[in-house]
Amino acid sequence: MKAVVVRKPNEIVIEEREIPEISASQVLVKVKAAGICGSDVGIYRGLNAFATYPRVVGHEFVGEIVEIGTRVEGYAIGAHVAVDPVISCGKCYACRSNRHNVCHSLKVMGVHQDGGYQEYVAVDEQQLHLLPQELPWNIAATVEPYSIGAQVAHRGRLSADDTVLICGAGPIGLIILQVAKMKGAKAAIMDIVDSRLEKAKAMGADLVINSRKADVQAELMNFTQGEGASLIYEATGNVKLLKQCIKDFSSAAGRVVVLGFSKDVLDICQLDIMSKELEIIGTRLNNHRFPEVIEWFKAGKVDPAAIITHRFKMEDAEKGFAIGKEHPEDTLKVILTF
Ligand code: MN
């Protein structure tokens, strides 16, 4: 079988490998589609602090069950499944607190161990989620990124009472926007790329701000009658922007949810946090959110087709990885097909 391997930073190859053997508690998944994430591009470029090499990347993948381990029950050959890439120990403090996505010995498929950009993958039963058979594969491949939208909604306690500011209108920012609108919140979104903001507008954003052209704080204060945003999602990874979120953009009793994973250091003033009783909330991966997202998909509550801009055959993975850098203005979610 073929596998897409990042051998070392900036070197991606298609390798011939043996089809994996499964254990009694695993199934063999024939991969059908897999999304390329900003974090995958980070692994390719050598910018992801969590990654080790060589690595079969890909944590946003779906496929069909072709072999079933002897102890696995409730799944049939031919079933369509999404694979939750989060693997946890079940014993540490985070796991005992029902927060397995930040497990002390966390392993993420496609990051710490080989992932979904290969024709067949052995997957533990606990990571499987049944998909409707009629859901197209490229749409199904977005279940994992939507699980981030579900996770950040829970982390930020997103509700219809919120006025949300989303920093960054890439795939994740736009997913958060769709989730915020689904929940009935008012939502503003900012980016530096007009075409992304146009997409955001079409998805129901109440305010779009190009931060290169407009005064974000003035626009936001006008939008919120001077209060600031009650819930902010920082999805660009820019720490200067995170500082502004804390200092200038948040309302009293607000929450700032941090999605970026820059190692840059930020200087913040205690008083800015204390005086507003601000909550600064980290969020990582997803905590068993696949079932919730699959329900959204079944009910048509979100619009995954709107974030998919490109499809490439897995053999052309390198092109899929390059397109975002070459054409940032019209690239959102890129899907590899198998
Ligand atoms: Mn992802």
Side-chain angles (χ1 to χ4, degrees):
M1 67 160 193
K2 293 194 197 81
V4 178
V5 183
V6 178
R7 280 207 180 127
K8 58 181 199 248
N10 299 307
E11 186 183 328
I12 198 163
V13 290
I14 309 296
E15 263 181 28
E16 194 59 38
R17 291 196 170 184
E18 294 293 317
I19 292 176
E21 306 257 330
I22 58 166
S23 72
S25 60
Q26 289 184 318
V27 304
L28 190 65
V29 173
K30 186 174 200 287
V31 176
K32 293 290 187 176
I36 298 181
C37 181
S39 67
D40 297 318
V41 178
I43 294 171
Y44 172 50
R45 304 239 180 257
L47 303 172
N48 184 313
F50 302 118
T52 51
Y53 302 88
R55 179 65 55 231
V56 175
V57 275
H59 59 269
E60 304 177 357
F61 64 100
V62 289
E64 192 177 299
I65 294 179
V66 292
E67 194 186 338
I68 300 174
T70 51
R71 289 209 309 269
V72 177
E73 285 172 16
Y75 291 93
I77 300 287
H80 294 193
V81 287
V83 178
D84 188 333
V86 178
I87 301 169
S88 58
C89 75
K91 301 184 193 95
C92 68
Y93 172 73
C95 284
R96 294 195 315 274
S97 313
N98 295 320
R99 305 267 295 273
H100 92 130
N101 53 312
V102 287
C103 170
H104 182 73
S105 352
L106 177 71
K107 296 255 183 308
V108 181
M109 291 186 81
V111 182
H112 309 90
Q113 65 183 58
D114 284 346
Y117 294 171
Q118 47 189 332
E119 289 178 296
Y120 295 90
V121 191
V123 180
D124 283 349
E125 180 181 10
Q126 305 96 288
Q127 293 170 259
L128 298 173
H129 296 274
L130 277 177
L131 293 167
Q133 296 285 112
E134 66 278 7
L135 191 68
W137 289 115
N138 61 320
I139 299 290
T142 67
V143 167
E144 195 280 342
Y146 273 88
S147 78
I148 307 303
Q151 178 69 9
V152 306
H154 284 275
R155 293 293 293 150
R157 306 190 303 278
L158 172 60
S159 82
D161 281 339
D162 281 307
T163 302
V164 181
L165 171 66
I166 301 156
C167 304
I172 293 293
L174 293 173
I175 286 171
I176 298 171
L177 172 64
Q178 290 184 5
V179 174
K181 292 314 298 174
M182 176 182 77
K183 302 266 183 193
K186 268 177 78 182
I189 188 162
M190 59 183 271
D191 203 283
I192 55 174
V193 179
D194 279 327
S195 57
R196 290 180 166 197
L197 294 172
E198 279 156 30
K199 278 239 170 187
K201 197 93 206 173
M203 287 176 192
D206 299 288
L207 173 69
V208 301
I209 312 168
N210 186 323
S211 56
R212 284 238 168 106
K213 298 175 184 168
D215 179 340
V216 178
Q217 195 180 2
E219 297 243 0
L220 185 69
M221 289 305 151
N222 183 41
F223 180 63
T224 60
Q225 288 81 46
E227 281 201 311
S230 63
L231 176 56
I232 303 180
Y233 289 108
E234 205 308 289
T236 71
N238 177 336
V239 296
K240 285 188 190 137
L241 190 51
L242 177 59
K243 181 177 174 174
Q244 279 188 295
C245 292
I246 293 168
K247 189 171 174 292
D248 302 324
F249 301 160
S250 60
S251 74
R255 287 142 283 148
V256 177
V257 180
V258 182
L259 285 88
F261 45 99
S262 158
K263 286 164 119 182
D264 294 346
V265 175
L266 168 68
D267 60 314
I268 48 173
C269 170
Q270 286 189 348
L271 190 65
D272 289 331
I273 300 171
M274 174 270 167
S275 60
K276 295 191 279 194
E277 281 200 342
L278 202 61
E279 290 176 65
I280 299 170
I281 301 170
T283 189
R284 187 173 183 184
L285 299 160
N286 89 93
N287 186 13
H288 300 301
R289 306 292 179 202
F290 274 49
E292 183 178 350
V293 170
I294 292 167
E295 288 309 312
W296 293 348
F297 279 36
K298 281 183 187 167
K301 288 187 169 177
V302 286
D303 183 13
I307 62 154
I308 298 171
T309 53
H310 296 81
R311 273 184 273 178
F312 290 94
K313 292 206 169 81
M314 68 94 84
E315 292 86 349
D316 296 325
E318 194 166 4
K319 285 185 200 159
F321 273 72
I323 189 127
K325 201 171 185 182
E326 289 163 6
H327 301 284
E329 67 289 347
D330 45 40
T331 305
L332 291 168
K333 182 56 74 183
V334 179
I335 306 284
L336 298 180
T337 58
F338 289 73

